[in-house]
Amino acid sequence: MDQSSLSSFVDTSLDLTIGVTRMRVEEDSTTSALVDELNRVSAENKKLSEMLTLMCENYNVLRKQLMEYVNKSNNMTEIDQTSPPKKRKSPARDDAVSSAVIGGVSESSSTDQDDLFLCKKKQREETVVKEKVSRVYYKTEASDTTLVVKDGYQWRKYGQKVTRDNPSPRAYFKCASAPSCCVKKKVQRSLEDQSVLVATYEGEHNHPMPSQIDSNNGLNRYISLGGHTAPAKGSSSSLAEPVTESKKVTSPSRMDIPDVQKLLVEQMASSLTKDPNFTAALAAAVTGRLYQQNQTEK
DNA sequence: CGATTTTGACCGGCGC
DNA sequence: GCGCCGGTCAAAATCG
């Protein structure tokens, strides 16, 4: 992904928090000061508009790339489905459902138990052969010791381990939103920045997000969808590469493109609206525009 | 009292 | 074959 194309809308830290109050000019202030102020506001307003335009363009480019990527992934799925599974012996009970559909969103009259069998079977094969793995960074309070990431889905924790490469414990979650959904995620604090939670998602949800509100109102601040890039450092307002990095996208269930787009838009919007610099600049720009209109009407 | 979390035990892969 | 390590299981503890 082209980093440079993204960097343009990353930095919203322009000092655009102009003194709006300054516009409440006292009556005895000179006209030239007013004109200067107006010019400045207009210039900044223009700059903001350009930033917004650029951001929209970048978003469109990203969306296009995502679409292409998803399409490519789907093609790969069809190819990979012919490849033989690797080792790892299956449990005995798997034989009972060996004729079941593996891969693909198997639809059917299968019972919940069958779903679980399939789920486990699929899961095992996916971990070896094909798996969609994405990594997401979340900003949290450094003092927050919980490994909870509010991403809109419901998760059930089934384990916690301290790994060798990172002293902070890694928590293991399974999707609890739907019984037949076997998406897993691992959450661990970043080695480099303890205030950043690294969530690694495996698999794809085969159901809609139960609560999209939660994903925006969560305690954790979303930083990026990204691959192996380092988590954003320093300013918490940084927005890293908004790309879902996947190792091999060949898991059976197809990605729901509208959902992904929606999620992407929500996450971008959430990141922007939570950025104090951006909101301040936006407020200043809107106020400036209103003020400008008032002046022209007079 | 059911649902959820915690945590030690267990399992399988992998490198030596 | 052995030990290490990551991942999962499941009984116990905790919570609402």
Side-chain angles (χ1 to χ4, degrees):
Chain A
M1 185 66 70
D2 185 9
Q3 291 274 3
S4 61
S5 69
L6 297 160
S7 60
S8 52
F9 65 85
V10 169
D11 183 11
T12 56
S13 61
L14 280 171
D15 185 17
L16 299 172
T17 55
I18 53 162
V20 176
T21 54
R22 263 186 283 167
M23 284 189 278
R24 283 192 238 118
V25 189
E26 294 160 18
E27 297 206 341
D28 58 347
S29 61
T30 64
T31 311
S32 61
L34 264 175
V35 171
D36 286 348
E37 185 70 28
L38 190 59
N39 287 339
R40 215 187 108 204
V41 170
S42 299
E44 284 173 348
N45 192 18
K46 193 179 169 189
K47 200 183 288 184
L48 262 176
S49 301
E50 286 170 0
M51 279 175 65
L52 267 173
T53 309
L54 198 61
M55 202 189 306
C56 289
E57 283 172 5
N58 284 330
Y59 169 67
N60 285 332
V61 169
L62 272 175
R63 194 178 61 173
K64 193 178 164 189
Q65 287 175 343
L66 180 66
M67 296 283 281
E68 285 172 1
Y69 182 73
V70 169
N71 287 337
K72 202 161 58 178
S73 302
N74 287 342
N75 291 338
M76 280 176 66
T77 305
E78 288 166 11
I79 295 167
D80 281 3
Q81 276 175 345
T82 60
S83 61
K86 281 195 196 167
K87 39 186 169 180
R88 195 158 199 186
K89 59 181 174 184
S90 311
R93 69 192 304 188
D94 279 352
D95 294 341
V97 290
S98 58
S99 61
V101 178
I102 303 160
V105 187
S106 70
E107 269 352 309
S108 58
S109 48
S110 60
T111 63
D112 283 351
Q113 259 193 333
D114 285 344
D115 277 347
L116 286 175
F117 287 168
L118 282 174
C119 197
K120 282 191 176 179
K121 190 180 177 81
K122 263 162 54 177
Q123 202 176 308
R124 298 217 164 166
E125 297 196 350
E126 280 171 9
T127 55
V128 178
V129 184
K130 26 191 141 175
E131 182 72 64
K132 175 175 178 115
V133 179
S134 61
R135 204 173 281 190
V136 181
Y137 298 100
Y138 293 90
K139 182 79 178 175
T140 63
E141 296 298 323
S143 58
D144 184 10
T145 56
T146 62
L147 291 169
V148 178
V149 166
K150 302 278 183 101
D151 52 13
Y153 289 96
Q154 289 181 313
W155 299 93
R156 171 196 283 266
K157 188 177 180 181
Y158 67 91
Q160 182 166 317
K161 253 290 202 271
V162 176
T163 55
R164 205 182 155 195
D165 56 332
N166 192 335
S168 59
R170 173 185 295 169
Y172 298 88
F173 297 90
K174 279 179 185 169
C175 180
S177 302
S180 61
C181 178
C182 32
V183 175
K184 286 186 235 171
K185 79 169 174 183
K186 293 177 276 190
V187 180
Q188 191 170 30
R189 295 203 167 275
S190 168
L191 194 57
E192 298 168 26
D193 188 347
Q194 292 288 303
S195 65
V196 172
L197 285 177
V198 182
T200 307
Y201 293 84
E202 295 178 13
E204 295 170 20
H205 295 279
N206 56 8
H207 57 89
M209 185 186 288
S211 167
Q212 299 195 341
I213 297 166
D214 284 354
S215 65
N216 286 337
N217 292 348
L219 295 169
N220 308 112
R221 179 159 180 190
Y222 166 83
I223 289 184
S224 75
L225 277 168
H228 296 128
T229 53
K233 280 187 177 178
S235 166
S236 62
S237 64
S238 58
L239 177 66
E241 186 177 8
V243 176
T244 301
E245 183 266 349
S246 305
K247 286 173 183 167
K248 278 184 187 173
V249 185
T250 47
S251 86
S253 57
R254 302 293 165 87
M255 186 182 282
D256 192 339
I257 297 170
D259 277 356
V260 171
Q261 287 178 352
K262 206 171 172 181
L263 187 63
L264 204 58
V265 170
E266 281 171 1
Q267 284 170 339
M268 286 178 72
S270 177
S271 294
L272 285 174
T273 53
K274 284 175 183 172
D275 188 332
N277 285 332
F278 181 81
T279 49
L282 195 61
V286 170
T287 313
R289 177 64 64 91
L290 288 173
Y291 179 76
Q292 200 173 8
Q293 276 183 344
N294 284 341
Q295 290 295 309
T296 53
E297 281 170 9
K298 279 182 185 176

mmCIF file of all heavy atoms in Angstrom, chain A residues 253-292:
data_model
loop_
_atom_site.group_PDB
_atom_site.id
_atom_site.type_symbol
_atom_site.label_atom_id
_atom_site.label_comp_id
_atom_site.label_asym_id
_atom_site.label_seq_id
_atom_site.Cartn_x
_atom_site.Cartn_y
_atom_site.Cartn_z
ATOM 1 N N SER A 253 -15.946 -18.596 3.893
ATOM 2 C CA SER A 253 -17.009 -17.614 3.823
ATOM 3 C C SER A 253 -16.511 -16.348 3.178
ATOM 4 O O SER A 253 -15.452 -15.842 3.486
ATOM 5 C CB SER A 253 -17.538 -17.325 5.215
ATOM 6 O OG SER A 253 -16.493 -16.904 6.030
ATOM 7 N N ARG A 254 -17.301 -15.829 2.271
ATOM 8 C CA ARG A 254 -16.901 -14.625 1.556
ATOM 9 C C ARG A 254 -17.082 -13.410 2.432
ATOM 10 O O ARG A 254 -17.995 -13.323 3.223
ATOM 11 C CB ARG A 254 -17.757 -14.465 0.299
ATOM 12 C CG ARG A 254 -17.657 -15.636 -0.612
ATOM 13 C CD ARG A 254 -16.229 -15.694 -1.181
ATOM 14 N NE ARG A 254 -15.961 -16.975 -1.773
ATOM 15 C CZ ARG A 254 -16.250 -17.285 -3.025
ATOM 16 N NH1 ARG A 254 -16.832 -16.433 -3.777
ATOM 17 N NH2 ARG A 254 -15.951 -18.464 -3.501
ATOM 18 N N MET A 255 -16.230 -12.458 2.200
ATOM 19 C CA MET A 255 -16.334 -11.222 2.960
ATOM 20 C C MET A 255 -17.539 -10.441 2.476
ATOM 21 O O MET A 255 -17.773 -10.311 1.284
ATOM 22 C CB MET A 255 -15.070 -10.408 2.743
ATOM 23 C CG MET A 255 -15.021 -9.193 3.601
ATOM 24 S SD MET A 255 -13.550 -8.262 3.251
ATOM 25 C CE MET A 255 -12.335 -9.193 4.106
ATOM 26 N N ASP A 256 -18.288 -9.928 3.381
ATOM 27 C CA ASP A 256 -19.441 -9.132 3.026
ATOM 28 C C ASP A 256 -18.965 -7.711 2.732
ATOM 29 O O ASP A 256 -18.670 -6.945 3.618
ATOM 30 C CB ASP A 256 -20.434 -9.141 4.201
ATOM 31 C CG ASP A 256 -21.764 -8.570 3.779
ATOM 32 O OD1 ASP A 256 -21.783 -7.833 2.771
ATOM 33 O OD2 ASP A 256 -22.754 -8.870 4.454
ATOM 34 N N ILE A 257 -18.870 -7.404 1.480
ATOM 35 C CA ILE A 257 -18.259 -6.144 1.072
ATOM 36 C C ILE A 257 -18.964 -4.916 1.645
ATOM 37 O O ILE A 257 -18.314 -4.028 2.195
ATOM 38 C CB ILE A 257 -18.161 -6.070 -0.457
ATOM 39 C CG1 ILE A 257 -17.239 -7.180 -0.929
ATOM 40 C CG2 ILE A 257 -17.638 -4.730 -0.910
ATOM 41 C CD1 ILE A 257 -17.236 -7.389 -2.413
ATOM 42 N N PRO A 258 -20.287 -4.829 1.543
ATOM 43 C CA PRO A 258 -20.942 -3.652 2.121
ATOM 44 C C PRO A 258 -20.645 -3.489 3.603
ATOM 45 O O PRO A 258 -20.433 -2.376 4.077
ATOM 46 C CB PRO A 258 -22.421 -3.920 1.891
ATOM 47 C CG PRO A 258 -22.456 -4.849 0.736
ATOM 48 C CD PRO A 258 -21.234 -5.695 0.858
ATOM 49 N N ASP A 259 -20.599 -4.592 4.321
ATOM 50 C CA ASP A 259 -20.306 -4.520 5.754
ATOM 51 C C ASP A 259 -18.913 -3.971 5.985
ATOM 52 O O ASP A 259 -18.688 -3.160 6.877
ATOM 53 C CB ASP A 259 -20.420 -5.921 6.384
ATOM 54 C CG ASP A 259 -21.848 -6.248 6.708
ATOM 55 O OD1 ASP A 259 -22.705 -5.351 6.500
ATOM 56 O OD2 ASP A 259 -22.116 -7.369 7.139
ATOM 57 N N VAL A 260 -17.984 -4.451 5.188
ATOM 58 C CA VAL A 260 -16.604 -4.002 5.347
ATOM 59 C C VAL A 260 -16.500 -2.518 5.072
ATOM 60 O O VAL A 260 -15.860 -1.772 5.806
ATOM 61 C CB VAL A 260 -15.680 -4.778 4.385
ATOM 62 C CG1 VAL A 260 -14.297 -4.165 4.386
ATOM 63 C CG2 VAL A 260 -15.604 -6.223 4.816
ATOM 64 N N GLN A 261 -17.170 -2.102 3.998
ATOM 65 C CA GLN A 261 -17.129 -0.675 3.664
ATOM 66 C C GLN A 261 -17.726 0.150 4.779
ATOM 67 O O GLN A 261 -17.178 1.174 5.182
ATOM 68 C CB GLN A 261 -17.907 -0.417 2.377
ATOM 69 C CG GLN A 261 -17.162 -0.914 1.146
ATOM 70 C CD GLN A 261 -17.973 -0.692 -0.103
ATOM 71 O OE1 GLN A 261 -19.140 -0.299 -0.026
ATOM 72 N NE2 GLN A 261 -17.378 -0.945 -1.250
ATOM 73 N N LYS A 262 -18.839 -0.336 5.269
ATOM 74 C CA LYS A 262 -19.532 0.388 6.328
ATOM 75 C C LYS A 262 -18.632 0.522 7.552
ATOM 76 O O LYS A 262 -18.494 1.597 8.136
ATOM 77 C CB LYS A 262 -20.802 -0.392 6.690
ATOM 78 C CG LYS A 262 -21.896 0.469 7.258
ATOM 79 C CD LYS A 262 -23.144 -0.374 7.353
ATOM 80 C CE LYS A 262 -24.242 0.309 8.084
ATOM 81 N NZ LYS A 262 -25.432 -0.509 8.194
ATOM 82 N N LEU A 263 -18.009 -0.601 7.881
ATOM 83 C CA LEU A 263 -17.129 -0.623 9.046
ATOM 84 C C LEU A 263 -15.969 0.347 8.849
ATOM 85 O O LEU A 263 -15.605 1.108 9.739
ATOM 86 C CB LEU A 263 -16.607 -2.040 9.247
ATOM 87 C CG LEU A 263 -15.797 -2.284 10.519
ATOM 88 C CD1 LEU A 263 -16.676 -2.049 11.733
ATOM 89 C CD2 LEU A 263 -15.249 -3.686 10.530
ATOM 90 N N LEU A 264 -15.425 0.311 7.635
ATOM 91 C CA LEU A 264 -14.300 1.183 7.325
ATOM 92 C C LEU A 264 -14.686 2.644 7.468
ATOM 93 O O LEU A 264 -13.972 3.442 8.075
ATOM 94 C CB LEU A 264 -13.849 0.906 5.893
ATOM 95 C CG LEU A 264 -12.415 1.249 5.534
ATOM 96 C CD1 LEU A 264 -11.440 0.511 6.433
ATOM 97 C CD2 LEU A 264 -12.145 0.914 4.084
ATOM 98 N N VAL A 265 -15.832 2.980 6.915
ATOM 99 C CA VAL A 265 -16.299 4.361 6.979
ATOM 100 C C VAL A 265 -16.535 4.766 8.421
ATOM 101 O O VAL A 265 -16.121 5.852 8.859
ATOM 102 C CB VAL A 265 -17.598 4.526 6.171
ATOM 103 C CG1 VAL A 265 -18.215 5.889 6.436
ATOM 104 C CG2 VAL A 265 -17.313 4.365 4.692
ATOM 105 N N GLU A 266 -17.159 3.854 9.172
ATOM 106 C CA GLU A 266 -17.442 4.185 10.572
ATOM 107 C C GLU A 266 -16.170 4.403 11.358
ATOM 108 O O GLU A 266 -16.067 5.311 12.175
ATOM 109 C CB GLU A 266 -18.259 3.061 11.213
ATOM 110 C CG GLU A 266 -19.708 3.138 10.831
ATOM 111 C CD GLU A 266 -20.456 1.892 11.300
ATOM 112 O OE1 GLU A 266 -19.832 1.028 11.913
ATOM 113 O OE2 GLU A 266 -21.657 1.808 11.027
ATOM 114 N N GLN A 267 -15.183 3.549 11.069
ATOM 115 C CA GLN A 267 -13.944 3.664 11.816
ATOM 116 C C GLN A 267 -13.208 4.948 11.458
ATOM 117 O O GLN A 267 -12.638 5.610 12.310
ATOM 118 C CB GLN A 267 -13.065 2.443 11.562
ATOM 119 C CG GLN A 267 -13.596 1.249 12.334
ATOM 120 C CD GLN A 267 -12.910 -0.034 11.941
ATOM 121 O OE1 GLN A 267 -12.338 -0.124 10.866
ATOM 122 N NE2 GLN A 267 -12.970 -1.032 12.788
ATOM 123 N N MET A 268 -13.239 5.290 10.162
ATOM 124 C CA MET A 268 -12.600 6.541 9.746
ATOM 125 C C MET A 268 -13.313 7.723 10.383
ATOM 126 O O MET A 268 -12.677 8.637 10.904
ATOM 127 C CB MET A 268 -12.623 6.674 8.219
ATOM 128 C CG MET A 268 -11.647 5.767 7.532
ATOM 129 S SD MET A 268 -11.743 5.917 5.750
ATOM 130 C CE MET A 268 -11.017 7.520 5.512
ATOM 131 N N ALA A 269 -14.636 7.686 10.317
ATOM 132 C CA ALA A 269 -15.415 8.786 10.890
ATOM 133 C C ALA A 269 -15.172 8.896 12.378
ATOM 134 O O ALA A 269 -15.007 9.991 12.926
ATOM 135 C CB ALA A 269 -16.892 8.563 10.605
ATOM 136 N N SER A 270 -15.118 7.732 13.001
ATOM 137 C CA SER A 270 -14.893 7.721 14.448
ATOM 138 C C SER A 270 -13.542 8.329 14.789
ATOM 139 O O SER A 270 -13.416 9.138 15.704
ATOM 140 C CB SER A 270 -14.957 6.277 14.950
ATOM 141 O OG SER A 270 -14.672 6.236 16.317
ATOM 142 N N SER A 271 -12.539 7.930 14.029
ATOM 143 C CA SER A 271 -11.203 8.452 14.285
ATOM 144 C C SER A 271 -11.159 9.957 14.106
ATOM 145 O O SER A 271 -10.531 10.669 14.879
ATOM 146 C CB SER A 271 -10.204 7.798 13.323
ATOM 147 O OG SER A 271 -10.106 6.443 13.596
ATOM 148 N N LEU A 272 -11.842 10.423 13.056
ATOM 149 C CA LEU A 272 -11.817 11.855 12.777
ATOM 150 C C LEU A 272 -12.566 12.641 13.831
ATOM 151 O O LEU A 272 -12.080 13.659 14.328
ATOM 152 C CB LEU A 272 -12.427 12.124 11.404
ATOM 153 C CG LEU A 272 -11.523 11.759 10.229
ATOM 154 C CD1 LEU A 272 -12.280 11.920 8.922
ATOM 155 C CD2 LEU A 272 -10.298 12.642 10.224
ATOM 156 N N THR A 273 -13.762 12.163 14.161
ATOM 157 C CA THR A 273 -14.575 12.932 15.089
ATOM 158 C C THR A 273 -13.981 12.951 16.482
ATOM 159 O O THR A 273 -14.262 13.853 17.267
ATOM 160 C CB THR A 273 -15.989 12.362 15.181
ATOM 161 O OG1 THR A 273 -15.911 10.974 15.465
ATOM 162 C CG2 THR A 273 -16.744 12.578 13.885
ATOM 163 N N LYS A 274 -13.124 11.994 16.764
ATOM 164 C CA LYS A 274 -12.511 11.982 18.091
ATOM 165 C C LYS A 274 -11.231 12.799 18.129
ATOM 166 O O LYS A 274 -10.620 12.959 19.167
ATOM 167 C CB LYS A 274 -12.223 10.543 18.507
ATOM 168 C CG LYS A 274 -13.467 9.826 18.941
ATOM 169 C CD LYS A 274 -13.158 8.374 19.229
ATOM 170 C CE LYS A 274 -14.413 7.626 19.588
ATOM 171 N NZ LYS A 274 -14.175 6.196 19.684
ATOM 172 N N ASP A 275 -10.806 13.246 16.967
ATOM 173 C CA ASP A 275 -9.584 14.026 16.916
ATOM 174 C C ASP A 275 -9.903 15.471 17.271
ATOM 175 O O ASP A 275 -10.583 16.169 16.529
ATOM 176 C CB ASP A 275 -8.995 13.947 15.507
ATOM 177 C CG ASP A 275 -7.612 14.580 15.462
ATOM 178 O OD1 ASP A 275 -7.356 15.485 16.286
ATOM 179 O OD2 ASP A 275 -6.810 14.175 14.618
ATOM 180 N N PRO A 276 -9.422 15.948 18.404
ATOM 181 C CA PRO A 276 -9.736 17.316 18.837
ATOM 182 C C PRO A 276 -9.269 18.361 17.832
ATOM 183 O O PRO A 276 -9.926 19.377 17.639
ATOM 184 C CB PRO A 276 -9.004 17.455 20.165
ATOM 185 C CG PRO A 276 -8.037 16.341 20.234
ATOM 186 C CD PRO A 276 -8.550 15.256 19.360
ATOM 187 N N ASN A 277 -8.139 18.108 17.198
ATOM 188 C CA ASN A 277 -7.653 19.076 16.227
ATOM 189 C C ASN A 277 -8.608 19.190 15.053
ATOM 190 O O ASN A 277 -8.882 20.281 14.559
ATOM 191 C CB ASN A 277 -6.275 18.643 15.703
ATOM 192 C CG ASN A 277 -5.205 18.887 16.729
ATOM 193 O OD1 ASN A 277 -5.331 19.786 17.556
ATOM 194 N ND2 ASN A 277 -4.173 18.078 16.706
ATOM 195 N N PHE A 278 -9.074 18.029 14.627
ATOM 196 C CA PHE A 278 -9.962 18.048 13.468
ATOM 197 C C PHE A 278 -11.278 18.728 13.803
ATOM 198 O O PHE A 278 -11.765 19.577 13.053
ATOM 199 C CB PHE A 278 -10.220 16.628 12.987
ATOM 200 C CG PHE A 278 -11.119 16.582 11.782
ATOM 201 C CD1 PHE A 278 -10.609 16.823 10.513
ATOM 202 C CD2 PHE A 278 -12.477 16.325 11.927
ATOM 203 C CE1 PHE A 278 -11.433 16.788 9.404
ATOM 204 C CE2 PHE A 278 -13.311 16.299 10.823
ATOM 205 C CZ PHE A 278 -12.785 16.523 9.554
ATOM 206 N N THR A 279 -11.865 18.374 14.935
ATOM 207 C CA THR A 279 -13.154 18.965 15.298
ATOM 208 C C THR A 279 -13.022 20.455 15.531
ATOM 209 O O THR A 279 -13.879 21.239 15.127
ATOM 210 C CB THR A 279 -13.717 18.288 16.558
ATOM 211 O OG1 THR A 279 -12.707 18.252 17.554
ATOM 212 C CG2 THR A 279 -14.175 16.870 16.252
ATOM 213 N N ALA A 280 -11.908 20.849 16.147
ATOM 214 C CA ALA A 280 -11.698 22.274 16.386
ATOM 215 C C ALA A 280 -11.556 23.014 15.068
ATOM 216 O O ALA A 280 -12.134 24.083 14.857
ATOM 217 C CB ALA A 280 -10.445 22.480 17.239
ATOM 218 N N ALA A 281 -10.785 22.404 14.163
ATOM 219 C CA ALA A 281 -10.576 23.035 12.866
ATOM 220 C C ALA A 281 -11.885 23.118 12.093
ATOM 221 O O ALA A 281 -12.182 24.127 11.441
ATOM 222 C CB ALA A 281 -9.544 22.233 12.067
ATOM 223 N N LEU A 282 -12.667 22.046 12.188
ATOM 224 C CA LEU A 282 -13.952 22.019 11.489
ATOM 225 C C LEU A 282 -14.883 23.092 12.042
ATOM 226 O O LEU A 282 -15.528 23.833 11.297
ATOM 227 C CB LEU A 282 -14.584 20.643 11.650
ATOM 228 C CG LEU A 282 -15.736 20.319 10.721
ATOM 229 C CD1 LEU A 282 -15.270 20.376 9.258
ATOM 230 C CD2 LEU A 282 -16.292 18.943 11.028
ATOM 231 N N ALA A 283 -14.908 23.174 13.365
ATOM 232 C CA ALA A 283 -15.761 24.173 14.001
ATOM 233 C C ALA A 283 -15.341 25.575 13.577
ATOM 234 O O ALA A 283 -16.168 26.438 13.248
ATOM 235 C CB ALA A 283 -15.689 24.037 15.522
ATOM 236 N N ALA A 284 -14.026 25.785 13.552
ATOM 237 C CA ALA A 284 -13.509 27.094 13.160
ATOM 238 C C ALA A 284 -13.879 27.405 11.720
ATOM 239 O O ALA A 284 -14.255 28.530 11.381
ATOM 240 C CB ALA A 284 -11.997 27.125 13.334
ATOM 241 N N ALA A 285 -13.771 26.379 10.874
ATOM 242 C CA ALA A 285 -14.069 26.595 9.463
ATOM 243 C C ALA A 285 -15.540 26.933 9.258
ATOM 244 O O ALA A 285 -15.889 27.850 8.510
ATOM 245 C CB ALA A 285 -13.703 25.336 8.667
ATOM 246 N N VAL A 286 -16.409 26.181 9.946
ATOM 247 C CA VAL A 286 -17.850 26.420 9.814
ATOM 248 C C VAL A 286 -18.199 27.811 10.324
ATOM 249 O O VAL A 286 -18.928 28.574 9.685
ATOM 250 C CB VAL A 286 -18.642 25.348 10.580
ATOM 251 C CG1 VAL A 286 -20.108 25.719 10.654
ATOM 252 C CG2 VAL A 286 -18.476 23.991 9.906
ATOM 253 N N THR A 287 -17.639 28.138 11.481
ATOM 254 C CA THR A 287 -17.902 29.460 12.047
ATOM 255 C C THR A 287 -17.420 30.560 11.106
ATOM 256 O O THR A 287 -18.094 31.572 10.881
ATOM 257 C CB THR A 287 -17.188 29.615 13.401
ATOM 258 O OG1 THR A 287 -17.450 28.457 14.157
ATOM 259 C CG2 THR A 287 -17.692 30.824 14.146
ATOM 260 N N GLY A 288 -16.228 30.326 10.553
ATOM 261 C CA GLY A 288 -15.663 31.292 9.640
ATOM 262 C C GLY A 288 -16.538 31.488 8.426
ATOM 263 O O GLY A 288 -16.761 32.617 7.970
ATOM 264 N N ARG A 289 -17.060 30.368 7.908
ATOM 265 C CA ARG A 289 -17.930 30.441 6.740
ATOM 266 C C ARG A 289 -19.205 31.216 7.053
ATOM 267 O O ARG A 289 -19.654 32.062 6.282
ATOM 268 C CB ARG A 289 -18.241 29.016 6.262
ATOM 269 C CG ARG A 289 -19.196 28.940 5.103
ATOM 270 C CD ARG A 289 -18.611 29.593 3.845
ATOM 271 N NE ARG A 289 -17.424 28.919 3.342
ATOM 272 C CZ ARG A 289 -17.449 27.931 2.439
ATOM 273 N NH1 ARG A 289 -18.583 27.521 1.955
ATOM 274 N NH2 ARG A 289 -16.335 27.383 2.027
ATOM 275 N N LEU A 290 -19.756 30.943 8.208
ATOM 276 C CA LEU A 290 -20.974 31.647 8.609
ATOM 277 C C LEU A 290 -20.707 33.139 8.751
ATOM 278 O O LEU A 290 -21.488 33.985 8.325
ATOM 279 C CB LEU A 290 -21.502 31.077 9.929
ATOM 280 C CG LEU A 290 -22.119 29.687 9.830
ATOM 281 C CD1 LEU A 290 -22.452 29.158 11.224
ATOM 282 C CD2 LEU A 290 -23.375 29.724 8.960
ATOM 283 N N TYR A 291 -19.570 33.403 9.360
ATOM 284 C CA TYR A 291 -19.212 34.792 9.578
ATOM 285 C C TYR A 291 -19.050 35.498 8.241
ATOM 286 O O TYR A 291 -19.510 36.617 8.026
ATOM 287 C CB TYR A 291 -17.907 34.857 10.377
ATOM 288 C CG TYR A 291 -17.429 36.260 10.640
ATOM 289 C CD1 TYR A 291 -18.055 37.022 11.629
ATOM 290 C CD2 TYR A 291 -16.378 36.814 9.934
ATOM 291 C CE1 TYR A 291 -17.619 38.304 11.889
ATOM 292 C CE2 TYR A 291 -15.945 38.094 10.198
ATOM 293 C CZ TYR A 291 -16.565 38.844 11.179
ATOM 294 O OH TYR A 291 -16.136 40.102 11.430
ATOM 295 N N GLN A 292 -18.407 34.781 7.310
ATOM 296 C CA GLN A 292 -18.169 35.340 5.981
ATOM 297 C C GLN A 292 -19.496 35.649 5.301
ATOM 298 O O GLN A 292 -19.676 36.684 4.671
ATOM 299 C CB GLN A 292 -17.396 34.307 5.163
ATOM 300 C CG GLN A 292 -16.678 34.914 3.986
ATOM 301 C CD GLN A 292 -15.777 33.868 3.315
ATOM 302 O OE1 GLN A 292 -15.826 32.695 3.655
ATOM 303 N NE2 GLN A 292 -14.972 34.314 2.377
#
